[in-house]
Structure formats: C-alpha cells, structure tokens
Amino acid sequence: MHSSITAAYLTRYRSLASAAGTGPDPAPLLPLTGAQRRFLITRHRDRLARTDIVPLFFAFPRGTVDLARLRRAALRLARQHPALRGEFTVLRGTPVLRLGEPSVEVARVPVEPSDPAAGGVAVDGAGVAAAGLPDGPARAALLRALLDWPTDGPALRLLLAAGPQDEEELLAVALDHAACDEQSLGLVTEGLGAAYADPDGGENAPGAGQAEAVETYRAAVEGQLDAEARAASEAAQRHWAARLGALADAPEGAAPAGAARSTGMAVDRLPAVTGAARSGVFPALLDAVAAAAHRLDDGDRVLALGYPWGGRPADTAPVLGCFLNTLVHPAPPGPPRPLDALGADWWDDLDHADTPYDEVVRAARSAGASWSGALDGLLTFEDLHRRPPLVLGGTAGREVHLAGRPLAAPIAVSASHGEDLLVRLAWDRERYSDAAAEAAFAVLLATLRHHLGAGA
C-alpha cells in the first residue's frame, strides 16, 4: 500500500495543533497546502535560500499614491485574509501557519540618482517600450529592496520608488508566495483598490468577521489537502513514473538555480490568439519553452520543465493563499511535436494535477530517474482578463515588468494573454550569456509561430 506524504503531514499537524491548544502559546495553528510546505521546507533547510515572492509592478503619475492611505488599505486587506495575519514557520519539523496580528510593510524606497541598473535587460529598445520595462534608478532601488526580502517580515510589502526626475512612480505589490499564488492576485488588486477608495482607507473596518475568515481559510486548505491525498494514489504514481522516468539532473558544476543576482530579460508581443485556437496556446508554449531550453542545454537530456497549475477545490470561497501545484513536463530533444500530441499528453497530466510535487519526484525516481526534483525551466501563464487592475484614487496603475528578479530555475518564461500575447524570457546570467539567451528566445518565438500560425 502506498504511503501518502500528505497523510503523514496531516498526522503531524493535528498533533501540533492539539498541543498548541493547551500549551503556553495560544496562537492557533493552521495547516499548509503542499505548495506552501515546499516553500517553507526549502527555506528551513537552507538559511541562505531566498523567499519565493510574487510581485506586481505598477506605474502611477507622480503624486498619485498616498502612502498613509495605502497603509490603511493594506492593513484592512490583511485583516480579511488569514494568510496575511500570521507567520509561516516550521515547528518540530512541521510547516504551519501560526496566526497573529495583521502585518504589512508600506514604505517609500530611497532612490539614489547614481543607482545602477539591477540585473540588466537584454532586449532592444522597441522591446523595452512595448513591454513596459522601465529602467533607471527607481527600478534598481525596488529590485534591491525585493532581493533583500526579510525572512521574518510581513507577507505583504508595498514599496514605492521614484527618481528625482521621474514623472511616474513605481509601486511594487509583492507577496510571499506561500501567502499568494498567481490566481490570488486579483483578490489583492481588487481588495487594495476597494479599501483605498473607502473614505477612511479601511482604517475603521470591523474585525468581527476575522474568526469566520479563519474557518473559511481552514476549510479551503483542508479541502486542498484532501484533494492532494486522493491524488497521491498508486495510479498517479504509475502515471508520473511513466512520464518522468527518463529525467536526469544537469551535470555537476552548473550554477545552482536561483543563486545569481544578475538576470536578463527578452520580451516580445505576439497577436492575441482567438477562437478555438486558444486551447492550443499552453501546449504551444510548453513546446516553445522546451525548444529554448534545449537551445541552451549542451547535452541530449530529457529536460524537466515546471509550470504552476490548479486552483481552489470546488465550492471553495475565494481566499488568499497558495493552492497551485507545480506540474512537471518532460521535454526530450528533437524538432517541434505536433500540437495535438502535445495537447493529449498535457491533458493526461492535468488529470493528475493534484499529485503533490514530492510524490511526483518519488514516482520518477522509482522508475529509475536520476532526478532530484530540480527544474531546468519554468513557465507561467496568466489570462489578464481575470485580474482587475489596481486602481488608487481613481487612477488605474499601468502594469510594468522589471527584469533582474531572482529565478527559481535557469530560465523562466512568463506569458500574459490579454489584448495580445506578451512573452518574456528571463535567464540566469551566471549560467548563460546574453547572446546565447537571445538566440534561445528567437527559437522560442519561431516555435510559437510554428504552432500558432503566421499571425503570431
């Protein structure tokens, strides 16, 4: 009989929670999803590991944002969501959320006119302008502040920066990934905007609903854990063993993922995909990322590409948190595959999307894979129609994208589908030269156009 990692975690958590109810520390303990546990265990094992963060960046006309009012709005948002009202911690080897008081950081980041660009951008001028990629001292100051994310600080940080001559201010809305996944971002932008529009900025919002919010959050997480436990089946183990048994780690000597502070970014915009063809966008992106990764890889390995997928359990209330699993796509070398074959494999994988990542790694290794679980590339995809804009004081922020962020894999591709398809490739400059990455990006775009048609 297969022993579930999720079931073992729940046993340890319930023991801790029961003891906390009778011990000297009355703070309630809440369980964590599989994704949240991965983030915390990584930090706990490696004190030098960076906190995984989910940032959004918005440009506002200078003088638009009132920091005191924004702080009140952020505290109101934190009071409404338990994921922003506590500490993600590891107790006796068990990751938990220990509830506490709402805590946020809202600050203006000092900007020095002589600040260098942080990380670097490797795109042409048209690409920078088209993608909304600001450069200069304000960008450098924000990135420096996010790179120095305090591990014991609040899960929500709102940082504002502007250079002396800038007509716009850059606002970073950044969250600990354990508290927020990509599907939660709409709750953040909508909640901040609504609280900011309140005449008192939400300062006098009642806290009577906090206990109900805790139980709603607990129910959502426990529902996710139930789904993860069911998905850790022997059938799922067989599926992932067959899919991932050929994976192998990169050769020794390669720079570890996420170690570099210098990253580059290449950007392009393609026409939006419409009609029935939309169902093929994600498989096409998977194959395009695979082509780019193999362009950068010296060997003939089957590469491991990760992508977040999933959502809250059915009938779950919208709560802030991380409910997305990371799925693994095996990418053998070779020419582009037919899109229908790619789609069929992808849909088969989605049938097992709730299987926790640690269970997937275990399944692959049981089939002979010499793979630690490290990823060769990451792909994230966002439908911009699902996320409300951030509106402060009646002004909608213009979303921008900053290069120089730390990466959890040697390359990371982000695609945003709205009025067009914005594609961004970021890479670790300690592992790949700018020229090599730009050549890989050209391969990525050519593969996308091959799958999506000449109009792309």
Side-chain angles (χ1 to χ4, degrees):
M1 178 65 69
H2 174 67
S3 176
S4 165
I5 293 173
T6 301
Y9 166 75
L10 279 170
T11 298
R12 295 195 304 272
Y13 159 73
R14 286 165 181 155
S15 175
L16 269 180
S18 176
T22 59
D25 184 357
L29 302 180
L30 296 179
L32 302 185
T33 67
Q36 291 172 317
R37 297 200 306 273
R38 283 184 59 217
F39 294 137
L40 262 69
I41 288 172
T42 299
R43 298 175 207 169
H44 187 68
R45 289 177 176 172
D46 181 3
R47 292 301 182 183
L48 298 179
R50 291 197 185 100
T51 299
D52 291 270
I53 63 173
V54 181
L56 294 173
F57 302 95
F58 299 94
F60 286 93
R62 197 179 190 109
T64 298
V65 181
D66 181 328
L67 279 183
R69 189 172 178 181
L70 184 62
R71 183 176 293 106
R72 291 192 295 268
L75 282 172
R76 174 177 174 175
L77 181 73
R79 282 195 292 269
Q80 295 171 338
H81 293 284
L84 302 179
R85 284 183 43 219
E87 175 191 10
F88 291 96
T89 188
V90 177
L91 300 179
R92 300 203 312 232
T94 304
V96 294
L97 171 60
R98 180 162 49 195
L99 284 182
E101 292 299 315
S103 177
V104 299
E105 179 186 357
V106 180
R108 181 175 294 277
V109 176
V111 176
E112 297 296 334
S114 59
D115 270 348
V121 182
V123 292
D124 59 34
V128 173
L133 280 167
D135 204 351
R139 168 185 163 271
L142 279 182
L143 289 174
R144 184 172 58 245
L146 293 178
L147 285 170
D148 293 331
W149 189 282
T151 56
D152 57 350
L156 173 62
R157 302 177 74 197
L158 306 178
L159 306 177
L160 188 68
Q165 307 303 320
D166 293 342
E167 295 181 357
E168 291 185 314
E169 296 175 309
L170 293 180
L171 175 65
V173 179
L175 297 103
D176 185 329
H177 209 334
C180 179
D181 55 34
E182 288 80 358
Q183 288 192 5
S184 300
L185 289 173
L187 295 173
V188 175
T189 56
E190 184 177 35
L192 277 176
Y196 193 94
D198 192 296
D200 65 1
E203 185 177 22
N204 299 319
Q210 291 186 27
E212 181 180 352
V214 169
E215 292 312 308
T216 300
Y217 180 82
R218 186 196 305 274
V221 173
E222 289 180 348
Q224 176 69 16
L225 290 172
D226 287 343
E228 292 176 10
R230 291 193 302 271
S233 63
E234 293 183 2
Q237 289 279 310
R238 289 192 297 269
H239 171 84
W240 290 116
R243 283 284 281 154
L244 307 180
L247 293 181
D249 282 336
E252 291 186 10
R261 282 182 174 259
S262 180
T263 62
M265 180 182 286
V267 183
D268 206 343
R269 288 184 182 273
L270 305 180
V273 182
T274 60
R278 288 179 66 92
S279 64
V281 172
F282 197 84
L285 282 165
L286 278 175
D287 204 42
V289 176
H294 278 293
R295 179 67 173 78
L296 292 168
D297 189 71
D298 293 332
D300 57 358
R301 295 185 298 128
V302 178
L303 302 181
L305 306 180
Y307 59 96
W309 202 265
R312 281 95 181 112
D315 301 322
T316 297
V319 295
L320 202 63
C322 188
F323 295 82
L324 298 186
N325 196 15
T326 298
L327 272 65
V328 183
H329 174 75
R337 295 179 58 201
L339 197 57
D340 57 351
L342 282 164
D345 285 344
W346 175 55
W347 280 108
D348 285 345
D349 289 345
L350 293 188
D351 286 339
H352 303 87
D354 287 328
T355 308
Y357 194 86
D358 290 343
E359 298 276 5
V360 170
V361 175
R362 181 161 69 173
R365 294 180 67 85
S366 74
S370 55
W371 178 54
S372 66
L375 296 171
D376 298 294
L378 282 168
L379 168 63
T380 58
F381 179 76
E382 184 180 17
D383 185 343
L384 294 179
H385 295 108
R386 298 180 179 178
R387 172 156 55 84
L390 177 61
V391 178
L392 301 179
T395 301
R398 176 173 59 86
E399 186 171 358
V400 297
H401 305 279
L402 272 64
R405 292 167 46 195
L407 304 177
I411 65 170
V413 174
S414 302
S416 304
H417 203 185
E419 295 180 356
D420 53 23
L421 181 62
L422 174 65
V423 183
R424 308 183 298 281
L425 168 67
W427 65 91
D428 181 344
R429 286 175 134 181
E430 292 188 10
R431 185 175 294 199
Y432 305 122
S433 70
D434 290 355
E438 290 167 348
F441 190 53
V443 170
L444 184 151
L445 294 175
T447 306
L448 269 183
R449 293 186 173 103
H450 167 80
H451 285 306
L452 301 178

PDB file of all heavy atoms in Angstrom, residues 24 67 69 80 93 112 122 149 167 170 206 234 290 293 303 335 380 400 429 447:
ATOM      1  N   PRO A  24       1.378  26.984  26.375  1.00  0.00           N
ATOM      2  CA  PRO A  24       1.502  28.381  26.798  1.00  0.00           C
ATOM      3  C   PRO A  24       1.285  29.375  25.668  1.00  0.00           C
ATOM      4  O   PRO A  24       1.002  30.538  25.923  1.00  0.00           O
ATOM      5  CB  PRO A  24       2.939  28.456  27.334  1.00  0.00           C
ATOM      6  CG  PRO A  24       3.665  27.348  26.623  1.00  0.00           C
ATOM      7  CD  PRO A  24       2.664  26.262  26.439  1.00  0.00           C
ATOM      8  N   LEU A  67       0.777  57.310   0.725  1.00  0.00           N
ATOM      9  CA  LEU A  67       1.294  56.143   1.445  1.00  0.00           C
ATOM     10  C   LEU A  67       0.514  55.852   2.722  1.00  0.00           C
ATOM     11  O   LEU A  67       0.297  54.686   3.071  1.00  0.00           O
ATOM     12  CB  LEU A  67       2.772  56.338   1.775  1.00  0.00           C
ATOM     13  CG  LEU A  67       3.771  56.047   0.646  1.00  0.00           C
ATOM     14  CD1 LEU A  67       5.195  56.206   1.152  1.00  0.00           C
ATOM     15  CD2 LEU A  67       3.577  54.642   0.082  1.00  0.00           C
ATOM     16  N   ARG A  69      -2.639  56.418   3.330  1.00  0.00           N
ATOM     17  CA  ARG A  69      -3.912  55.817   2.927  1.00  0.00           C
ATOM     18  C   ARG A  69      -3.697  54.398   2.405  1.00  0.00           C
ATOM     19  O   ARG A  69      -4.492  53.496   2.679  1.00  0.00           O
ATOM     20  CB  ARG A  69      -4.547  56.694   1.844  1.00  0.00           C
ATOM     21  CG  ARG A  69      -5.966  56.314   1.473  1.00  0.00           C
ATOM     22  CD  ARG A  69      -6.543  57.375   0.548  1.00  0.00           C
ATOM     23  NE  ARG A  69      -7.872  57.051   0.116  1.00  0.00           N
ATOM     24  CZ  ARG A  69      -8.591  57.800  -0.701  1.00  0.00           C
ATOM     25  NH1 ARG A  69      -8.083  58.933  -1.174  1.00  0.00           N
ATOM     26  NH2 ARG A  69      -9.816  57.440  -1.052  1.00  0.00           N
ATOM     27  N   GLN A  80      -8.586  40.783   6.501  1.00  0.00           N
ATOM     28  CA  GLN A  80      -9.578  39.946   5.840  1.00  0.00           C
ATOM     29  C   GLN A  80      -9.046  38.576   5.443  1.00  0.00           C
ATOM     30  O   GLN A  80      -9.832  37.673   5.146  1.00  0.00           O
ATOM     31  CB  GLN A  80     -10.096  40.675   4.587  1.00  0.00           C
ATOM     32  CG  GLN A  80     -10.865  41.954   4.882  1.00  0.00           C
ATOM     33  CD  GLN A  80     -11.151  42.740   3.623  1.00  0.00           C
ATOM     34  OE1 GLN A  80     -10.483  42.585   2.605  1.00  0.00           O
ATOM     35  NE2 GLN A  80     -12.155  43.603   3.692  1.00  0.00           N
ATOM     36  N   GLY A  93       9.728  20.408  12.911  1.00  0.00           N
ATOM     37  CA  GLY A  93       9.832  19.812  11.586  1.00  0.00           C
ATOM     38  C   GLY A  93       8.564  19.852  10.765  1.00  0.00           C
ATOM     39  O   GLY A  93       8.527  19.303   9.659  1.00  0.00           O
ATOM     40  N   GLU A 112      18.740  56.636  -5.204  1.00  0.00           N
ATOM     41  CA  GLU A 112      19.919  57.460  -5.455  1.00  0.00           C
ATOM     42  C   GLU A 112      20.039  57.664  -6.961  1.00  0.00           C
ATOM     43  O   GLU A 112      19.949  56.711  -7.724  1.00  0.00           O
ATOM     44  CB  GLU A 112      21.177  56.772  -4.913  1.00  0.00           C
ATOM     45  CG  GLU A 112      21.186  56.579  -3.408  1.00  0.00           C
ATOM     46  CD  GLU A 112      21.194  57.890  -2.651  1.00  0.00           C
ATOM     47  OE1 GLU A 112      21.690  58.893  -3.222  1.00  0.00           O
ATOM     48  OE2 GLU A 112      20.711  57.926  -1.505  1.00  0.00           O
ATOM     49  N   ALA A 122      18.210  42.550 -21.514  1.00  0.00           N
ATOM     50  CA  ALA A 122      18.788  42.258 -22.818  1.00  0.00           C
ATOM     51  C   ALA A 122      17.684  42.210 -23.858  1.00  0.00           C
ATOM     52  O   ALA A 122      17.281  41.159 -24.327  1.00  0.00           O
ATOM     53  CB  ALA A 122      19.566  40.956 -22.785  1.00  0.00           C
ATOM     54  N   TRP A 149      14.532  40.652   0.766  1.00  0.00           N
ATOM     55  CA  TRP A 149      13.277  40.341   1.449  1.00  0.00           C
ATOM     56  C   TRP A 149      13.568  39.738   2.821  1.00  0.00           C
ATOM     57  O   TRP A 149      14.257  38.720   2.913  1.00  0.00           O
ATOM     58  CB  TRP A 149      12.478  39.358   0.606  1.00  0.00           C
ATOM     59  CG  TRP A 149      11.082  39.113   1.076  1.00  0.00           C
ATOM     60  CD1 TRP A 149      10.717  38.308   2.115  1.00  0.00           C
ATOM     61  CD2 TRP A 149       9.872  39.649   0.538  1.00  0.00           C
ATOM     62  NE1 TRP A 149       9.339  38.314   2.256  1.00  0.00           N
ATOM     63  CE2 TRP A 149       8.802  39.132   1.302  1.00  0.00           C
ATOM     64  CE3 TRP A 149       9.585  40.520  -0.513  1.00  0.00           C
ATOM     65  CZ2 TRP A 149       7.476  39.448   1.035  1.00  0.00           C
ATOM     66  CZ3 TRP A 149       8.274  40.833  -0.774  1.00  0.00           C
ATOM     67  CH2 TRP A 149       7.222  40.297   0.000  1.00  0.00           C
ATOM     68  N   GLU A 167       8.686  61.247 -13.941  1.00  0.00           N
ATOM     69  CA  GLU A 167       7.312  61.736 -13.944  1.00  0.00           C
ATOM     70  C   GLU A 167       6.348  60.704 -13.377  1.00  0.00           C
ATOM     71  O   GLU A 167       5.211  61.034 -13.041  1.00  0.00           O
ATOM     72  CB  GLU A 167       6.889  62.115 -15.370  1.00  0.00           C
ATOM     73  CG  GLU A 167       7.681  63.283 -15.948  1.00  0.00           C
ATOM     74  CD  GLU A 167       7.210  63.649 -17.343  1.00  0.00           C
ATOM     75  OE1 GLU A 167       6.310  62.953 -17.867  1.00  0.00           O
ATOM     76  OE2 GLU A 167       7.740  64.622 -17.899  1.00  0.00           O
ATOM     77  N   LEU A 170       7.017  54.116  -9.357  1.00  0.00           N
ATOM     78  CA  LEU A 170       6.829  52.675  -9.494  1.00  0.00           C
ATOM     79  C   LEU A 170       6.394  52.108  -8.154  1.00  0.00           C
ATOM     80  O   LEU A 170       7.036  52.351  -7.124  1.00  0.00           O
ATOM     81  CB  LEU A 170       8.129  52.005  -9.950  1.00  0.00           C
ATOM     82  CG  LEU A 170       8.619  52.335 -11.359  1.00  0.00           C
ATOM     83  CD1 LEU A 170       9.911  51.585 -11.653  1.00  0.00           C
ATOM     84  CD2 LEU A 170       7.557  52.002 -12.396  1.00  0.00           C
ATOM     85  N   PRO A 206     -14.425  46.844  10.635  1.00  0.00           N
ATOM     86  CA  PRO A 206     -14.571  45.991  11.811  1.00  0.00           C
ATOM     87  C   PRO A 206     -13.821  44.680  11.660  1.00  0.00           C
ATOM     88  O   PRO A 206     -13.615  44.184  10.560  1.00  0.00           O
ATOM     89  CB  PRO A 206     -16.089  45.751  11.884  1.00  0.00           C
ATOM     90  CG  PRO A 206     -16.556  45.918  10.467  1.00  0.00           C
ATOM     91  CD  PRO A 206     -15.679  46.976   9.881  1.00  0.00           C
ATOM     92  N   GLU A 234      -1.875   5.150  -6.187  1.00  0.00           N
ATOM     93  CA  GLU A 234      -0.969   4.272  -6.932  1.00  0.00           C
ATOM     94  C   GLU A 234      -1.102   4.500  -8.428  1.00  0.00           C
ATOM     95  O   GLU A 234      -0.122   4.414  -9.171  1.00  0.00           O
ATOM     96  CB  GLU A 234      -1.243   2.820  -6.560  1.00  0.00           C
ATOM     97  CG  GLU A 234      -0.887   2.499  -5.108  1.00  0.00           C
ATOM     98  CD  GLU A 234      -1.103   1.035  -4.770  1.00  0.00           C
ATOM     99  OE1 GLU A 234      -1.490   0.251  -5.662  1.00  0.00           O
ATOM    100  OE2 GLU A 234      -0.881   0.675  -3.597  1.00  0.00           O
ATOM    101  N   ALA A 290      10.461  24.336 -24.250  1.00  0.00           N
ATOM    102  CA  ALA A 290      11.349  23.183 -24.412  1.00  0.00           C
ATOM    103  C   ALA A 290      12.400  23.450 -25.488  1.00  0.00           C
ATOM    104  O   ALA A 290      13.586  23.140 -25.313  1.00  0.00           O
ATOM    105  CB  ALA A 290      10.527  21.946 -24.761  1.00  0.00           C
ATOM    106  N   ALA A 293      14.959  25.868 -24.090  1.00  0.00           N
ATOM    107  CA  ALA A 293      15.814  25.234 -23.088  1.00  0.00           C
ATOM    108  C   ALA A 293      16.840  24.317 -23.739  1.00  0.00           C
ATOM    109  O   ALA A 293      18.009  24.272 -23.321  1.00  0.00           O
ATOM    110  CB  ALA A 293      14.953  24.458 -22.093  1.00  0.00           C
ATOM    111  N   LEU A 303      14.673  17.201 -20.471  1.00  0.00           N
ATOM    112  CA  LEU A 303      14.659  18.306 -19.519  1.00  0.00           C
ATOM    113  C   LEU A 303      13.361  18.322 -18.724  1.00  0.00           C
ATOM    114  O   LEU A 303      12.310  17.899 -19.208  1.00  0.00           O
ATOM    115  CB  LEU A 303      14.832  19.635 -20.255  1.00  0.00           C
ATOM    116  CG  LEU A 303      16.099  19.780 -21.101  1.00  0.00           C
ATOM    117  CD1 LEU A 303      16.152  21.153 -21.743  1.00  0.00           C
ATOM    118  CD2 LEU A 303      17.352  19.526 -20.271  1.00  0.00           C
ATOM    119  N   PRO A 335      12.792  17.960 -32.872  1.00  0.00           N
ATOM    120  CA  PRO A 335      12.010  19.023 -33.517  1.00  0.00           C
ATOM    121  C   PRO A 335      10.677  19.219 -32.822  1.00  0.00           C
ATOM    122  O   PRO A 335      10.268  18.392 -31.992  1.00  0.00           O
ATOM    123  CB  PRO A 335      11.815  18.482 -34.946  1.00  0.00           C
ATOM    124  CG  PRO A 335      11.886  16.995 -34.788  1.00  0.00           C
ATOM    125  CD  PRO A 335      12.885  16.750 -33.699  1.00  0.00           C
ATOM    126  N   THR A 380       5.065  30.258 -16.683  1.00  0.00           N
ATOM    127  CA  THR A 380       3.847  30.753 -16.040  1.00  0.00           C
ATOM    128  C   THR A 380       2.997  31.428 -17.100  1.00  0.00           C
ATOM    129  O   THR A 380       3.516  32.082 -18.018  1.00  0.00           O
ATOM    130  CB  THR A 380       4.153  31.749 -14.908  1.00  0.00           C
ATOM    131  OG1 THR A 380       4.907  32.847 -15.426  1.00  0.00           O
ATOM    132  CG2 THR A 380       4.944  31.077 -13.794  1.00  0.00           C
ATOM    133  N   VAL A 400       3.795  47.195 -15.300  1.00  0.00           N
ATOM    134  CA  VAL A 400       5.095  47.127 -15.958  1.00  0.00           C
ATOM    135  C   VAL A 400       5.806  45.858 -15.487  1.00  0.00           C
ATOM    136  O   VAL A 400       5.400  45.218 -14.505  1.00  0.00           O
ATOM    137  CB  VAL A 400       5.959  48.373 -15.658  1.00  0.00           C
ATOM    138  CG1 VAL A 400       5.307  49.629 -16.207  1.00  0.00           C
ATOM    139  CG2 VAL A 400       6.189  48.519 -14.165  1.00  0.00           C
ATOM    140  N   ARG A 429      22.229  34.961 -15.730  1.00  0.00           N
ATOM    141  CA  ARG A 429      23.413  35.397 -16.474  1.00  0.00           C
ATOM    142  C   ARG A 429      24.697  34.744 -15.993  1.00  0.00           C
ATOM    143  O   ARG A 429      25.726  34.838 -16.679  1.00  0.00           O
ATOM    144  CB  ARG A 429      23.536  36.913 -16.379  1.00  0.00           C
ATOM    145  CG  ARG A 429      22.524  37.657 -17.243  1.00  0.00           C
ATOM    146  CD  ARG A 429      22.615  39.135 -17.006  1.00  0.00           C
ATOM    147  NE  ARG A 429      22.617  39.867 -18.258  1.00  0.00           N
ATOM    148  CZ  ARG A 429      22.716  41.185 -18.330  1.00  0.00           C
ATOM    149  NH1 ARG A 429      22.841  41.887 -17.220  1.00  0.00           N
ATOM    150  NH2 ARG A 429      22.704  41.792 -19.478  1.00  0.00           N
ATOM    151  N   THR A 447       9.144  28.757 -32.629  1.00  0.00           N
ATOM    152  CA  THR A 447       8.338  27.575 -32.313  1.00  0.00           C
ATOM    153  C   THR A 447       6.888  27.972 -32.048  1.00  0.00           C
ATOM    154  O   THR A 447       5.953  27.285 -32.482  1.00  0.00           O
ATOM    155  CB  THR A 447       8.925  26.840 -31.090  1.00  0.00           C
ATOM    156  OG1 THR A 447      10.303  26.545 -31.333  1.00  0.00           O
ATOM    157  CG2 THR A 447       8.170  25.545 -30.816  1.00  0.00           C
TER     158      THR A 447
END
